[in-house]
Amino acid sequence: MTHVEDELNSQPECWTRAAADASAAGGRLPEAGERVAVVGCGTSYFMAQAYAALREGAGQGETDAFAASEFPAGRAYDRILALTRSGTTTEVLDLLERAKGRTRTTAITADPDTPVMTAADDLVVLDYADERSVVQTRFATTALTLLRAHHGLHPEAAVADARAALTDALPDELAGCAQFTFLGRGWTVGLANEAALKMREASLSWTEAYPAMEYRHGPISVTTTGTVTWMFGEAPEGLAAQVGATGARWIEGRLDPLAELVRAQRLAVAVAAARGLDPDRPRHLTRSVILTP
């Protein structure tokens, strides 16, 4: 078993622990009414997108998501929340340093022995969700589970759905498909983006991700026999039939959307195996991007 398989299989236990820890972490996480910017890089950026839409949609306060390198320095926020598994990513550390003394910062990380421990004002350490693999799985979903639980948005069914995502058979013949598109709405757009990233990283697949209502505005033109369109959450009316008419495979998300992401993680590993690739050693990638001056 690869590291990434071992780590993605441990997600139900990590989520259970994160949900239980949410109350204790509450004073260090965004409070209702705060104007919050959520930042990250790669997978953490896509989790930031999901959390920002989820928090604002729940009426907890205006929430924006940015790649750490693209943070608009002229905007005022009550808090910057940084998601960083390694605690060493250059863009995140640079942003936290620039925010010192001006904006309160919180970092959620997996490693308590990294520079982010002194760069942020407040810290939440999920060391039990740290990973050996370059490809992120459990840290990202555990961090989002903690934030969902913090706002009372973590459904009890999520953990059971994650277990089902790990044990139920994947839809037949997906590993042989040529192209994969993931769709979302609201907070699940970030999850769709992350599912596509997992497929690229682990299996070198041609993958795309879009807000579901945008799919008709051009991207559906490349959908055909041998491609897959996977919906996270409730699909727009009529879209499944329209995709089916192209000859493509339509997959309706039937689990909690975060658990649906676990199914997509499994698919990425399965496609990697079918292509003779090692998902623990993705091409051109390292566990953290550390830039020299």
Side-chain angles (χ1 to χ4, degrees):
M1 182 176 290
T2 62
H3 295 316
V4 69
E5 286 177 284
D6 182 58
E7 289 156 0
L8 74 85
N9 283 330
S10 70
Q11 287 174 106
E13 291 72 29
C14 289
W15 295 8
T16 299
R17 183 167 175 179
D21 290 347
S23 295
R28 293 163 281 161
L29 296 174
E31 299 177 359
E34 286 185 335
R35 188 167 188 253
V36 176
V38 196
V39 301
C41 299
T43 289
S44 292
Y45 170 44
F46 296 140
M47 293 298 102
Q49 290 179 336
Y51 172 58
L54 191 66
R55 180 178 186 267
E56 187 163 322
Q60 293 291 304
E62 186 174 341
T63 317
D64 297 319
F66 301 101
S69 59
E70 297 297 319
F71 180 79
R75 289 196 190 178
Y77 289 94
D78 298 312
R79 186 187 302 264
I80 296 172
L81 173 63
L83 306 180
T84 170
R85 175 182 66 172
S86 69
T88 60
T89 303
T90 298
E91 298 101 302
V92 172
L93 294 176
D94 286 351
L95 173 56
L96 293 175
E97 187 62 34
R98 294 196 304 271
K100 271 190 180 298
R102 297 190 299 111
T103 306
R104 190 165 190 84
T105 59
T106 296
I108 301 178
T109 188
D111 191 340
D113 189 26
T114 55
V116 78
M117 299 298 290
T118 56
D121 298 317
D122 296 309
L123 294 156
V124 178
V125 178
L126 305 178
D127 51 355
Y128 57 88
D130 201 358
E131 296 161 326
R132 296 179 64 184
S133 177
V134 170
V135 176
Q136 278 201 56
T137 54
R138 72 182 179 192
F139 173 75
T141 62
T142 300
L144 188 53
T145 295
L146 176 83
L147 292 166
R148 290 178 84 184
H150 169 62
H151 294 295
L153 301 172
H154 171 67
E156 291 185 6
V159 172
D161 280 0
R163 296 188 192 282
L166 291 168
T167 56
D168 292 354
L170 290 170
D172 293 336
E173 300 177 354
L174 290 191
C177 291
Q179 189 263 351
F180 302 85
T181 299
F182 298 92
L183 306 178
R185 302 182 81 177
W187 75 282
T188 69
V189 172
L191 302 185
N193 286 333
E194 170 57 11
L197 180 63
K198 286 287 90 64
M199 293 295 297
R200 294 187 199 103
E201 290 177 330
S203 67
L204 305 182
S205 294
W206 172 19
T207 56
E208 300 176 336
Y210 303 96
M213 290 296 288
E214 285 295 305
Y215 193 50
R216 298 182 175 101
H217 295 273
I220 197 171
S221 63
V222 298
T223 304
T224 186
T225 304
T227 67
V228 174
T229 303
W230 190 320
M231 183 71 212
F232 282 73
E234 185 178 353
E237 185 176 355
L239 184 57
Q242 191 171 357
V243 170
T246 70
R249 180 80 174 271
W250 171 264
I251 298 180
E252 188 82 38
R254 53 183 175 76
L255 303 172
D256 176 84
L258 195 55
E260 202 67 30
L261 178 58
V262 176
R263 294 180 75 208
Q265 293 169 348
R266 285 183 60 208
L267 175 62
V269 172
V271 174
R275 295 177 179 176
L277 301 171
D278 182 354
D280 281 340
R281 294 175 176 81
R283 191 169 65 181
H284 311 315
L285 297 179
T286 56
R287 188 175 185 273
S288 174
V289 176
I290 302 173
L291 305 176
T292 56

